[in-house]
Coordinates of all heavy atoms in Angstrom, one line a residue:
M7 N -31.7 -25.6 -56.6 CA -30.8 -24.5 -56.5 C -31.7 -23.3 -56.6 O -32.4 -23.1 -57.7 CB -29.8 -24.6 -57.6 CG -28.7 -23.7 -57.5 SD -27.4 -23.7 -58.8 CE -26.9 -25.3 -58.8
S8 N -31.5 -22.3 -55.7 CA -32.2 -21.1 -55.8 C -31.2 -20.0 -56.4 O -30.0 -20.1 -56.4 CB -32.6 -20.7 -54.4 OG -31.5 -20.5 -53.5
R9 N -31.8 -19.0 -56.9 CA -31.1 -18.0 -57.5 C -30.8 -16.9 -56.5 O -31.4 -16.8 -55.4 CB -31.9 -17.2 -58.6 CG -32.2 -18.2 -59.7 CD -33.0 -17.4 -60.7 NE -33.3 -18.4 -61.9 CZ -33.1 -18.0 -63.1 NH1 -32.7 -16.8 -63.5 NH2 -33.3 -18.8 -64.1
L10 N -29.7 -16.2 -56.7 CA -29.4 -15.0 -55.8 C -30.1 -13.8 -56.1 O -30.4 -13.5 -57.2 CB -27.8 -14.6 -56.1 CG -26.8 -15.5 -55.6 CD1 -25.4 -15.1 -56.0 CD2 -26.8 -15.8 -54.1
S11 N -30.6 -13.3 -54.9 CA -31.3 -11.9 -55.1 C -30.4 -10.8 -55.5 O -29.2 -10.9 -55.4 CB -32.2 -11.7 -53.9 OG -31.3 -11.3 -52.9
E12 N -31.0 -9.8 -55.9 CA -30.1 -8.6 -56.1 C -29.3 -8.1 -54.9 O -28.2 -7.8 -55.0 CB -31.1 -7.4 -56.7 CG -31.6 -7.6 -58.1 CD -30.5 -7.6 -59.2 OE1 -29.5 -6.8 -59.1 OE2 -30.6 -8.5 -60.1
T13 N -30.0 -8.2 -53.8 CA -29.4 -7.8 -52.6 C -28.3 -8.9 -52.2 O -27.1 -8.3 -51.8 CB -30.4 -7.9 -51.4 OG1 -31.5 -7.0 -51.7 CG2 -29.8 -7.4 -50.1
E14 N -28.5 -10.1 -52.3 CA -27.4 -11.0 -52.2 C -26.3 -10.9 -53.0 O -25.0 -11.0 -52.7 CB -27.9 -12.5 -52.2 CG -28.9 -12.8 -51.1 CD -29.5 -14.2 -51.4 OE1 -30.1 -14.5 -52.5 OE2 -29.5 -15.0 -50.4
L15 N -26.5 -10.6 -54.4 CA -25.5 -10.5 -55.3 C -24.7 -9.3 -55.1 O -23.4 -9.3 -55.2 CB -26.2 -10.3 -56.7 CG -25.2 -10.3 -57.9 CD1 -24.4 -11.5 -58.0 CD2 -26.1 -10.1 -59.1
A16 N -25.4 -8.1 -54.6 CA -24.7 -7.0 -54.3 C -23.8 -7.2 -53.1 O -22.6 -6.7 -53.0 CB -25.6 -5.8 -54.1
A17 N -24.2 -7.9 -52.1 CA -23.4 -8.2 -50.8 C -22.3 -9.1 -51.1 O -21.2 -9.0 -50.4 CB -24.3 -8.9 -49.8
K18 N -22.3 -9.9 -52.2 CA -21.2 -10.8 -52.4 C -20.3 -10.3 -53.6 O -19.4 -11.1 -54.0 CB -21.8 -12.3 -52.7 CG -22.6 -12.9 -51.5 CD -23.1 -14.2 -52.0 CE -24.0 -14.8 -50.9 NZ -23.5 -14.9 -49.5
A19 N -20.6 -9.3 -54.1 CA -19.9 -8.7 -55.3 C -18.4 -8.6 -55.0 O -17.5 -9.1 -55.8 CB -20.4 -7.3 -55.6
F20 N -17.9 -8.3 -53.9 CA -16.5 -8.0 -53.5 C -15.9 -9.4 -53.5 O -14.8 -9.5 -54.0 CB -16.3 -7.3 -52.3 CG -14.9 -7.2 -51.8 CD1 -14.1 -6.2 -52.5 CD2 -14.3 -8.0 -50.8 CE1 -12.7 -6.2 -52.1 CE2 -12.9 -8.0 -50.6 CZ -12.2 -7.0 -51.2
K21 N -16.5 -10.3 -52.8 CA -16.0 -11.7 -52.8 C -15.8 -12.4 -54.2 O -14.9 -13.2 -54.5 CB -16.8 -12.6 -51.9 CG -16.6 -12.3 -50.3 CD -17.4 -13.0 -49.4 CE -17.3 -12.7 -48.0 NZ -18.0 -13.4 -47.0
M22 N -16.7 -12.2 -54.9 CA -16.8 -12.7 -56.3 C -15.7 -12.1 -57.2 O -15.0 -12.8 -57.9 CB -18.2 -12.6 -57.0 CG -19.3 -13.5 -56.4 SD -20.8 -13.5 -57.3 CE -21.3 -11.9 -57.4
A23 N -15.6 -10.8 -57.0 CA -14.5 -10.2 -57.8 C -13.1 -10.7 -57.3 O -12.3 -11.0 -58.1 CB -14.6 -8.6 -57.5
W24 N -12.9 -10.8 -56.0 CA -11.8 -11.5 -55.5 C -11.5 -12.8 -56.1 O -10.3 -13.2 -56.5 CB -11.8 -11.4 -54.0 CG -10.5 -12.2 -53.3 CD1 -9.3 -11.5 -52.9 CD2 -10.5 -13.5 -52.9 NE1 -8.5 -12.5 -52.5 CE2 -9.3 -13.7 -52.4 CE3 -11.4 -14.6 -53.0 CZ2 -8.8 -15.0 -51.9 CZ3 -10.9 -15.9 -52.5 CH2 -9.7 -16.0 -52.0
L25 N -12.5 -13.7 -56.0 CA -12.4 -15.0 -56.5 C -12.0 -15.1 -58.0 O -11.2 -15.8 -58.5 CB -13.7 -15.8 -56.2 CG -13.8 -17.2 -56.7 CD1 -12.7 -18.1 -56.0 CD2 -15.2 -17.8 -56.5
T26 N -12.7 -14.2 -58.7 CA -12.4 -14.3 -60.2 C -10.9 -13.7 -60.5 O -10.2 -14.4 -61.3 CB -13.3 -13.4 -61.0 OG1 -13.4 -12.1 -60.6 CG2 -14.8 -13.9 -61.0
Q27 N -10.4 -12.8 -59.7 CA -9.1 -12.4 -59.9 C -8.1 -13.4 -59.5 O -7.1 -13.7 -60.3 CB -8.8 -11.1 -59.1 CG -9.5 -9.9 -59.6 CD -8.9 -9.4 -60.9 OE1 -7.8 -9.5 -61.2 NE2 -9.9 -9.0 -61.8
N28 N -8.3 -14.1 -58.4 CA -7.4 -15.2 -58.0 C -7.4 -16.3 -58.9 O -6.5 -17.0 -59.2 CB -7.7 -15.5 -56.6 CG -7.1 -14.6 -55.6 OD1 -5.9 -14.6 -55.5 ND2 -8.0 -13.8 -55.0
A29 N -8.7 -16.7 -59.4 CA -8.8 -17.7 -60.4 C -8.0 -17.4 -61.8 O -7.3 -18.2 -62.2 CB -10.3 -18.1 -60.8
H30 N -8.1 -16.2 -62.1 CA -7.4 -15.7 -63.3 C -5.9 -15.8 -63.1 O -5.1 -16.3 -64.0 CB -7.8 -14.3 -63.6 CG -6.9 -13.6 -64.8 ND1 -7.2 -14.0 -66.0 CD2 -5.9 -12.8 -64.8 CE1 -6.4 -13.3 -66.8 NE2 -5.6 -12.6 -66.1
I31 N -5.4 -15.3 -62.0 CA -3.9 -15.4 -61.7 C -3.5 -16.9 -61.7 O -2.4 -17.3 -62.3 CB -3.6 -14.7 -60.2 CG1 -3.9 -13.2 -60.3 CG2 -2.3 -15.1 -59.8 CD1 -3.9 -12.5 -59.0
A32 N -4.2 -17.8 -61.0 CA -3.9 -19.1 -61.0 C -3.8 -19.8 -62.2 O -2.8 -20.6 -62.6 CB -4.7 -19.9 -60.0
L33 N -4.8 -19.5 -63.1 CA -4.9 -20.1 -64.4 C -3.8 -19.6 -65.3 O -3.1 -20.2 -66.1 CB -6.3 -19.9 -65.1 CG -7.3 -20.7 -64.5 CD1 -8.8 -20.2 -65.0 CD2 -7.2 -22.2 -64.9
S34 N -3.5 -18.3 -65.2 CA -2.4 -17.7 -65.9 C -1.1 -18.2 -65.6 O -0.2 -18.4 -66.5 CB -2.3 -16.1 -65.7 OG -3.5 -15.5 -66.2
R35 N -0.8 -18.5 -64.3 CA 0.5 -19.0 -63.9 C 0.7 -20.5 -64.5 O 1.8 -20.9 -64.8 CB 0.5 -19.2 -62.4 CG 0.8 -17.8 -61.7 CD 1.1 -17.9 -60.3 NE 1.2 -16.6 -59.8 CZ 0.8 -16.3 -58.5 NH1 0.3 -17.2 -57.7 NH2 1.0 -15.1 -58.0
N36 N -0.4 -21.2 -64.6 CA -0.3 -22.6 -65.2 C -0.4 -22.6 -66.7 O 0.4 -23.5 -67.2 CB -1.4 -23.5 -64.6 CG -1.3 -23.7 -63.1 OD1 -0.2 -23.8 -62.6 ND2 -2.3 -23.9 -62.4
L37 N -1.1 -21.8 -67.3 CA -1.3 -21.9 -68.8 C -0.3 -21.1 -69.5 O 0.1 -21.5 -70.7 CB -2.8 -21.5 -69.2 CG -3.8 -22.5 -68.8 CD1 -5.2 -21.9 -69.1 CD2 -3.8 -23.8 -69.3
L38 N 0.1 -19.9 -69.0 CA 0.9 -19.0 -69.8 C 2.3 -19.7 -70.2 O 2.6 -19.6 -71.4 CB 1.3 -17.7 -69.1 CG 1.9 -16.6 -69.7 CD1 1.0 -16.2 -71.0 CD2 2.1 -15.4 -68.9
P39 N 3.0 -20.4 -69.3 CA 4.2 -21.0 -69.8 C 3.9 -22.1 -70.9 O 4.9 -22.3 -71.7 CB 4.7 -21.7 -68.5 CG 4.2 -21.0 -67.4 CD 2.8 -20.5 -67.9
K40 N 2.8 -22.8 -71.0 CA 2.6 -23.7 -72.0 C 2.1 -23.0 -73.3 O 2.5 -23.4 -74.3 CB 1.4 -24.7 -71.5 CG 1.8 -25.4 -70.3 CD 0.6 -26.3 -69.8 CE 1.1 -26.9 -68.5 NZ -0.1 -27.4 -67.7
L41 N 1.4 -22.0 -73.2 CA 0.8 -21.4 -74.4 C 1.9 -20.3 -74.9 O 1.9 -20.0 -76.2 CB -0.5 -20.6 -74.1 CG -1.6 -21.5 -73.6 CD1 -2.8 -20.7 -73.3 CD2 -1.9 -22.5 -74.8
L42 N 2.7 -19.7 -74.1 CA 3.7 -18.7 -74.6 C 5.0 -18.8 -73.7 O 5.2 -18.2 -72.8 CB 3.1 -17.3 -74.2 CG 3.8 -16.2 -74.8 CD1 3.9 -16.2 -76.4 CD2 3.3 -14.8 -74.5
P43 N 5.8 -19.9 -74.2 CA 6.9 -20.2 -73.4 C 7.9 -19.0 -73.3 O 8.7 -19.1 -72.3 CB 7.6 -21.3 -74.3 CG 6.8 -21.7 -75.4 CD 5.6 -20.6 -75.4
E44 N 7.8 -17.9 -74.0 CA 8.7 -16.9 -73.9 C 8.3 -15.9 -72.8 O 9.1 -15.0 -72.5 CB 8.6 -16.0 -75.3 CG 9.0 -16.6 -76.5 CD 8.0 -17.6 -77.2 OE1 6.7 -17.4 -76.8 OE2 8.3 -18.4 -78.0
A45 N 7.2 -16.2 -72.2 CA 6.8 -15.4 -71.0 C 7.8 -15.3 -69.9 O 7.9 -14.4 -69.1 CB 5.5 -16.0 -70.4
D46 N 8.7 -16.3 -69.7 CA 9.7 -16.3 -68.7 C 11.1 -15.8 -69.2 O 12.1 -15.8 -68.5 CB 10.0 -17.8 -68.2 CG 8.7 -18.3 -67.4 OD1 8.1 -17.6 -66.8 OD2 8.6 -19.5 -67.4
T47 N 11.0 -15.1 -70.4 CA 12.3 -14.6 -70.9 C 12.7 -13.4 -70.2 O 12.0 -12.5 -69.8 CB 12.1 -14.2 -72.5 OG1 11.6 -15.4 -73.2 CG2 13.2 -13.7 -73.1
K48 N 14.1 -13.4 -70.1 CA 14.8 -12.2 -69.4 C 15.5 -11.4 -70.5 O 16.4 -12.0 -71.3 CB 15.7 -12.7 -68.3 CG 15.1 -13.5 -67.3 CD 14.2 -12.7 -66.5 CE 13.7 -13.5 -65.2 NZ 12.4 -13.8 -65.4
L49 N 15.2 -10.3 -70.8 CA 15.9 -9.4 -71.8 C 16.8 -8.4 -71.0 O 16.5 -7.9 -69.9 CB 14.8 -8.6 -72.6 CG 13.9 -9.5 -73.6 CD1 13.0 -8.5 -74.3 CD2 14.8 -10.3 -74.5
S50 N 17.9 -8.1 -71.5 CA 18.8 -7.1 -70.9 C 18.2 -5.7 -71.3 O 17.4 -5.4 -72.1 CB 20.2 -7.2 -71.6 OG 20.1 -6.7 -73.0
N51 N 18.6 -4.7 -70.5 CA 18.3 -3.4 -70.6 C 18.5 -2.8 -72.0 O 17.7 -2.0 -72.7 CB 18.9 -2.4 -69.6 CG 18.5 -2.7 -68.2 OD1 17.3 -3.2 -68.0 ND2 19.2 -2.4 -67.2
R52 N 19.7 -3.1 -72.6 CA 19.9 -2.7 -74.0 C 19.1 -3.4 -75.0 O 18.6 -2.7 -75.9 CB 21.3 -3.2 -74.3 CG 22.5 -2.3 -73.7 CD 22.5 -0.9 -74.5 NE 23.3 0.0 -73.8 CZ 24.2 0.8 -74.4 NH1 24.3 0.8 -75.8 NH2 25.0 1.6 -73.9
E53 N 18.7 -4.7 -74.8 CA 17.8 -5.3 -75.7 C 16.4 -4.6 -75.7 O 15.8 -4.4 -76.7 CB 17.6 -6.9 -75.4 CG 18.9 -7.7 -75.7 CD 18.9 -9.0 -75.0 OE1 18.1 -9.3 -74.1 OE2 19.8 -9.8 -75.4
I54 N 16.0 -4.4 -74.5 CA 14.7 -3.6 -74.3 C 14.7 -2.2 -75.0 O 13.8 -1.9 -75.7 CB 14.3 -3.5 -72.8 CG1 14.0 -4.9 -72.3 CG2 13.0 -2.6 -72.6 CD1 13.9 -5.0 -70.8
A55 N 15.9 -1.5 -74.9 CA 15.9 -0.2 -75.4 C 15.9 -0.3 -76.9 O 15.2 0.5 -77.6 CB 17.2 0.4 -74.8
V56 N 16.6 -1.2 -77.4 CA 16.7 -1.4 -79.0 C 15.4 -1.7 -79.5 O 14.9 -1.2 -80.5 CB 17.8 -2.4 -79.3 CG1 17.5 -2.8 -80.7 CG2 19.2 -1.8 -79.1
L57 N 14.6 -2.6 -78.8 CA 13.3 -3.0 -79.3 C 12.3 -1.9 -79.1 O 11.4 -1.8 -79.9 CB 12.8 -4.3 -78.4 CG 13.5 -5.5 -78.9 CD1 13.0 -6.7 -77.9 CD2 13.4 -6.0 -80.2
R58 N 12.4 -1.0 -78.0 CA 11.6 0.1 -78.0 C 11.8 1.0 -79.2 O 10.8 1.5 -79.7 CB 11.8 0.9 -76.7 CG 11.3 0.3 -75.5 CD 11.3 1.3 -74.2 NE 10.7 0.7 -73.2 CZ 11.3 0.6 -72.0 NH1 12.5 1.0 -71.7 NH2 10.7 -0.1 -70.9
W59 N 13.0 1.3 -79.4 CA 13.1 2.2 -80.7 C 12.7 1.6 -82.0 O 12.3 2.2 -82.9 CB 14.7 2.5 -80.7 CG 15.2 3.6 -79.7 CD1 16.0 3.4 -78.8 CD2 14.7 4.9 -79.6 NE1 16.2 4.4 -77.9 CE2 15.4 5.4 -78.5 CE3 13.8 5.7 -80.3 CZ2 15.1 6.7 -78.1 CZ3 13.6 7.0 -79.8 CH2 14.2 7.5 -78.8
T60 N 12.9 0.2 -82.1 CA 12.5 -0.5 -83.2 C 10.9 -0.4 -83.4 O 10.3 -0.2 -84.4 CB 12.8 -2.0 -83.1 OG1 14.3 -2.1 -83.1 CG2 12.3 -2.9 -84.2
A61 N 10.2 -0.6 -82.2 CA 8.8 -0.3 -82.2 C 8.4 1.0 -82.6 O 7.2 1.1 -83.2 CB 8.2 -0.8 -80.8
D62 N 9.2 2.0 -82.3 CA 8.9 3.3 -82.8 C 9.3 3.5 -84.2 O 9.0 4.7 -84.8 CB 9.8 4.3 -82.0 CG 9.1 4.6 -80.6 OD1 7.8 4.2 -80.4 OD2 9.8 5.2 -79.7
G63 N 9.7 2.4 -84.9 CA 10.0 2.6 -86.3 C 11.3 3.1 -86.8 O 11.6 3.5 -88.0
K64 N 12.2 3.1 -85.9 CA 13.6 3.6 -86.2 C 14.4 2.5 -86.8 O 14.1 1.2 -86.5 CB 14.3 3.9 -84.8 CG 13.6 5.1 -84.1 CD 13.6 6.4 -84.8 CE 13.1 7.5 -83.9 NZ 12.9 8.7 -84.8
T65 N 15.3 2.7 -87.8 CA 16.1 1.8 -88.3 C 17.3 1.6 -87.3 O 17.5 2.2 -86.4 CB 16.7 2.4 -89.7 OG1 17.5 3.6 -89.3 CG2 15.5 2.8 -90.6
A66 N 18.1 0.5 -87.7 CA 19.2 0.1 -86.9 C 20.3 1.3 -86.9 O 20.9 1.6 -85.9 CB 19.9 -1.1 -87.5
G67 N 20.4 2.0 -88.0 CA 21.3 3.1 -88.1 C 20.8 4.3 -87.3 O 21.6 4.8 -86.5
E68 N 19.6 4.5 -87.2 CA 19.1 5.6 -86.4 C 19.2 5.2 -84.9 O 19.5 6.1 -84.2 CB 17.5 5.9 -86.7 CG 17.3 6.4 -88.1 CD 15.9 6.5 -88.5 OE1 15.1 5.6 -88.1 OE2 15.6 7.4 -89.4
I69 N 18.9 4.0 -84.6 CA 19.1 3.4 -83.2 C 20.4 3.7 -82.8 O 20.8 4.1 -81.6 CB 18.5 2.1 -83.0 CG1 17.0 2.1 -83.3 CG2 18.8 1.6 -81.6 CD1 16.4 0.7 -83.5
A70 N 21.4 3.3 -83.6 CA 22.8 3.3 -83.3 C 23.2 4.8 -83.0 O 23.9 5.1 -82.0 CB 23.6 2.8 -84.5
S71 N 22.7 5.8 -83.8 CA 23.0 7.1 -83.6 C 22.4 7.7 -82.2 O 23.1 8.4 -81.4 CB 22.4 7.9 -84.7 OG 22.7 9.3 -84.6
I72 N 21.2 7.3 -81.9 CA 20.6 7.7 -80.7 C 21.2 7.1 -79.5 O 21.4 7.9 -78.5 CB 18.9 7.2 -80.8 CG1 18.3 8.0 -81.8 CG2 18.4 7.4 -79.5 CD1 16.9 7.3 -82.2
M73 N 21.6 5.9 -79.5 CA 22.1 5.3 -78.4 C 23.6 5.3 -78.3 O 24.3 4.9 -77.3 CB 21.7 3.8 -78.5 CG 20.2 3.5 -78.1 SD 19.8 1.8 -78.1 CE 20.5 1.3 -76.7
K74 N 24.2 5.9 -79.3 CA 25.6 6.2 -79.3 C 26.4 4.9 -79.4 O 27.4 4.7 -78.5 CB 26.2 7.1 -78.3 CG 25.6 8.5 -78.5 CD 26.0 9.5 -77.4 CE 25.4 10.9 -77.5 NZ 24.3 11.2 -78.3
I75 N 26.0 3.8 -80.1 CA 26.7 2.5 -80.2 C 26.7 2.3 -81.7 O 26.1 3.0 -82.6 CB 25.8 1.5 -79.6 CG1 24.4 1.4 -80.0 CG2 26.0 1.7 -78.0 CD1 23.5 0.3 -79.3
T76 N 27.4 1.3 -82.2 CA 27.5 0.9 -83.5 C 26.3 0.3 -84.1 O 25.5 -0.3 -83.4 CB 28.7 0.0 -83.9 OG1 28.5 -1.2 -83.3 CG2 30.0 0.7 -83.4
E77 N 26.1 0.4 -85.5 CA 24.9 -0.3 -86.0 C 25.0 -1.8 -85.7 O 24.0 -2.5 -85.6 CB 24.7 0.0 -87.4 CG 23.6 -0.6 -88.1 CD 23.3 0.1 -89.5 OE1 24.0 1.1 -89.9 OE2 22.7 -0.6 -90.4
R78 N 26.2 -2.5 -85.9 CA 26.5 -3.8 -85.6 C 26.0 -4.2 -84.2 O 25.4 -5.2 -84.0 CB 27.9 -4.0 -85.8 CG 28.4 -5.6 -85.6 CD 29.8 -5.8 -86.0 NE 30.1 -7.2 -85.9 CZ 30.4 -7.9 -84.8 NH1 30.3 -7.4 -83.7 NH2 30.7 -9.1 -84.9
T79 N 26.3 -3.3 -83.2 CA 25.8 -3.7 -81.8 C 24.3 -3.7 -81.7 O 23.7 -4.4 -81.1 CB 26.5 -2.6 -80.8 OG1 27.8 -2.6 -81.0 CG2 26.1 -3.0 -79.4
V80 N 23.6 -2.8 -82.4 CA 22.2 -2.6 -82.4 C 21.7 -4.0 -83.0 O 20.9 -4.6 -82.4 CB 21.7 -1.5 -83.3 CG1 20.1 -1.6 -83.6 CG2 22.0 -0.2 -82.6
N81 N 22.3 -4.4 -84.2 CA 21.8 -5.6 -84.8 C 22.1 -6.9 -83.8 O 21.3 -7.8 -83.8 CB 22.4 -5.8 -86.1 CG 21.8 -4.8 -87.1 OD1 20.6 -4.5 -87.1 ND2 22.6 -4.3 -88.0
F82 N 23.1 -6.8 -83.2 CA 23.5 -7.9 -82.2 C 22.4 -8.0 -81.1 O 22.0 -9.1 -80.8 CB 24.9 -7.6 -81.5 CG 25.3 -8.4 -80.4 CD1 25.7 -9.7 -80.6 CD2 25.0 -8.0 -79.0 CE1 26.1 -10.6 -79.6 CE2 25.4 -8.8 -78.0 CZ 25.9 -10.1 -78.3
H83 N 22.1 -6.8 -80.5 CA 21.0 -6.8 -79.5 C 19.6 -7.3 -79.9 O 18.9 -8.0 -79.4 CB 20.9 -5.5 -78.9 CG 22.1 -5.0 -78.0 ND1 22.5 -5.9 -77.0 CD2 22.8 -4.0 -77.9 CE1 23.6 -5.3 -76.4 NE2 23.9 -4.2 -77.0
I84 N 19.3 -6.8 -81.2 CA 18.0 -7.2 -81.9 C 18.1 -8.7 -82.1 O 17.1 -9.4 -81.8 CB 17.8 -6.5 -83.1 CG1 17.5 -5.1 -82.9 CG2 16.6 -7.1 -84.0 CD1 17.4 -4.2 -84.1
S85 N 19.1 -9.3 -82.6 CA 19.3 -10.7 -82.8 C 19.2 -11.6 -81.6 O 18.4 -12.5 -81.5 CB 20.6 -11.0 -83.5 OG 20.7 -12.4 -83.8
N86 N 19.9 -11.0 -80.5 CA 19.6 -11.7 -79.2 C 18.3 -11.7 -78.7 O 17.7 -12.8 -78.2 CB 20.6 -11.2 -78.1 CG 22.1 -11.5 -78.3 OD1 22.4 -12.5 -79.1 ND2 23.0 -10.8 -77.7
A87 N 17.6 -10.6 -78.8 CA 16.2 -10.5 -78.3 C 15.3 -11.4 -79.1 O 14.4 -12.0 -78.6 CB 15.8 -9.0 -78.4
A88 N 15.5 -11.3 -80.5 CA 14.6 -12.1 -81.3 C 14.9 -13.6 -81.0 O 13.8 -14.5 -81.0 CB 14.9 -11.9 -82.7
T89 N 16.0 -14.1 -80.8 CA 16.3 -15.5 -80.3 C 15.6 -15.8 -79.0 O 14.9 -16.8 -78.9 CB 17.9 -15.7 -80.3 OG1 18.4 -15.4 -81.6 CG2 18.1 -17.2 -80.0
K90 N 15.8 -14.9 -78.0 CA 15.2 -15.2 -76.8 C 13.7 -15.2 -76.8 O 13.1 -16.0 -76.1 CB 15.6 -14.1 -75.8 CG 17.0 -14.1 -75.3 CD 17.3 -13.0 -74.4 CE 18.8 -13.0 -73.9 NZ 19.2 -11.8 -73.0
L91 N 13.1 -14.5 -77.7 CA 11.7 -14.3 -77.8 C 11.1 -15.3 -78.9 O 9.8 -15.2 -79.1 CB 11.2 -12.9 -78.2 CG 11.5 -11.9 -77.1 CD1 11.4 -10.5 -77.6 CD2 10.5 -12.1 -75.8
N92 N 12.0 -16.1 -79.4 CA 11.6 -16.9 -80.6 C 10.9 -16.3 -81.7 O 9.7 -16.7 -82.2 CB 10.7 -18.0 -80.0 CG 10.5 -19.3 -80.9 OD1 11.4 -19.6 -81.7 ND2 9.5 -20.1 -80.8
A93 N 11.3 -15.1 -82.0 CA 10.8 -14.3 -83.1 C 11.5 -14.5 -84.4 O 12.7 -14.7 -84.4 CB 10.7 -12.9 -82.6
T94 N 10.9 -14.4 -85.5 CA 11.5 -14.5 -86.8 C 12.1 -13.4 -87.4 O 13.1 -13.4 -88.2 CB 10.5 -15.0 -87.7 OG1 9.4 -14.1 -87.9 CG2 9.9 -16.4 -87.6
N95 N 11.8 -12.1 -86.9 CA 12.4 -10.8 -87.3 C 12.2 -9.9 -86.2 O 11.7 -10.0 -85.2 CB 11.9 -10.4 -88.6 CG 10.3 -10.3 -88.6 OD1 9.8 -9.7 -87.6 ND2 9.6 -10.7 -89.6
K96 N 12.8 -8.7 -86.5 CA 12.8 -7.6 -85.4 C 11.5 -7.1 -85.1 O 11.1 -6.8 -84.0 CB 13.8 -6.5 -85.7 CG 13.5 -5.6 -86.8 CD 14.6 -4.6 -87.1 CE 14.2 -3.5 -88.1 NZ 15.1 -2.5 -88.1
T97 N 10.5 -7.0 -86.1 CA 9.2 -6.5 -85.9 C 8.5 -7.5 -85.0 O 7.8 -7.1 -84.1 CB 8.5 -6.3 -87.2 OG1 9.2 -5.4 -88.1 CG2 7.0 -5.9 -87.0
S98 N 8.6 -8.8 -85.3 CA 8.1 -9.7 -84.5 C 8.5 -9.8 -83.0 O 7.8 -9.9 -82.0 CB 8.2 -11.2 -85.0 OG 7.7 -12.2 -84.3
A99 N 9.8 -9.5 -82.9 CA 10.4 -9.4 -81.5 C 9.9 -8.3 -80.9 O 9.6 -8.3 -79.6 CB 12.0 -9.3 -81.8
A100 N 9.7 -7.2 -81.4 CA 9.2 -6.0 -80.8 C 7.7 -6.1 -80.4 O 7.3 -5.8 -79.2 CB 9.3 -4.8 -81.7
V101 N 6.9 -6.8 -81.3 CA 5.5 -7.1 -81.0 C 5.4 -8.1 -79.8 O 4.7 -7.8 -78.7 CB 4.8 -7.8 -82.1 CG1 3.4 -8.3 -81.7 CG2 4.7 -6.7 -83.2
K102 N 6.3 -9.1 -79.7 CA 6.2 -10.1 -78.6 C 6.6 -9.4 -77.3 O 6.2 -9.6 -76.2 CB 7.1 -11.3 -78.9 CG 6.5 -12.3 -79.8 CD 7.2 -13.7 -79.8 CE 6.5 -14.6 -80.6 NZ 7.2 -16.0 -80.6
A103 N 7.7 -8.5 -77.5 CA 8.2 -7.8 -76.2 C 7.2 -6.9 -75.6 O 6.9 -6.8 -74.4 CB 9.5 -7.1 -76.6
A104 N 6.4 -6.3 -76.5 CA 5.3 -5.4 -76.1 C 4.2 -6.2 -75.4 O 3.7 -5.9 -74.4 CB 4.8 -4.7 -77.3
M105 N 3.9 -7.4 -76.0 CA 2.9 -8.3 -75.5 C 3.2 -8.8 -74.1 O 2.4 -8.9 -73.2 CB 2.6 -9.4 -76.4 CG 1.8 -9.0 -77.7 SD 1.6 -10.3 -78.9 CE 1.0 -11.7 -77.9
L106 N 4.4 -9.0 -74.0 CA 4.9 -9.5 -72.6 C 5.2 -8.4 -71.6 O 5.6 -8.7 -70.6 CB 6.2 -10.3 -72.9 CG 6.0 -11.6 -73.6 CD1 7.3 -12.2 -74.1 CD2 5.2 -12.7 -72.8
G107 N 5.0 -7.1 -72.0 CA 5.1 -6.1 -71.0 C 6.6 -5.4 -70.9 O 6.8 -4.8 -69.9
F108 N 7.4 -5.8 -71.8 CA 8.8 -5.2 -71.8 C 8.9 -3.8 -72.3 O 9.7 -3.0 -71.9 CB 9.8 -6.1 -72.6 CG 10.0 -7.4 -72.1 CD1 9.8 -8.7 -72.6 CD2 10.7 -7.5 -70.8 CE1 10.0 -9.9 -72.1 CE2 11.1 -8.7 -70.2 CZ 10.7 -9.8 -70.9
L109 N 8.0 -3.5 -73.2 CA 8.0 -2.2 -73.8 C 7.0 -1.2 -73.2 O 5.9 -1.6 -72.9 CB 7.9 -2.2 -75.3 CG 8.8 -3.2 -76.0 CD1 8.6 -3.1 -77.6 CD2 10.2 -2.9 -75.7

């Protein structure tokens, strides 16, 4: 097996970048659902908004005031999002939502 010269490597750089990107996409599609089942989760706009404010450090009462809804409704949306994301608390839900690109 011969090594690639600097010229050959430079000439094939675009194709190698394309190949690595496509390999990454294919592996992600196959592995992500197994490693992070929450990746296919669908959150409502309200759940996302509540989690954004939560990630900013706002309390349920402050979020209720900002969004002009009741504190009970805020807690309802947080609870639903946490259940969908398989999170143990609102902080964990906000972190998972951020990792999944919701926030």
Side-chain angles (χ1 to χ4, degrees):
M7 187 184 306
S8 63
R9 294 178 181 233
L10 289 175
S11 69
E12 290 293 322
T13 306
E14 289 173 312
L15 189 59
K18 296 180 188 308
F20 178 78
K21 288 181 181 179
M22 290 189 306
W24 175 86
L25 180 61
T26 57
Q27 289 295 319
N28 280 292
H30 175 75
I31 291 167
L33 286 170
S34 294
R35 285 184 183 148
N36 289 326
L37 292 177
L38 193 59
K40 294 173 188 166
L41 298 175
L42 189 62
E44 298 84 14
D46 292 330
T47 300
K48 304 287 186 255
L49 295 178
S50 72
N51 290 336
R52 283 289 177 135
E53 290 164 347
I54 292 169
V56 166
L57 288 176
R58 277 194 182 125
W59 287 116
T60 299
D62 282 345
K64 302 293 184 194
T65 65
E68 292 169 331
I69 297 169
S71 179
I72 291 167
M73 295 180 69
K74 298 181 180 15
I75 56 179
T76 66
E77 190 171 337
R78 184 176 183 278
T79 303
V80 170
N81 289 326
F82 171 80
H83 290 305
I84 290 173
S85 177
N86 282 348
T89 300
K90 288 178 181 180
L91 294 169
N92 196 27
T94 55
N95 56 45
K96 70 180 189 175
T97 303
S98 176
V101 168
K102 281 191 175 185
M105 288 174 46
L106 293 168
F108 288 115
L109 309 184

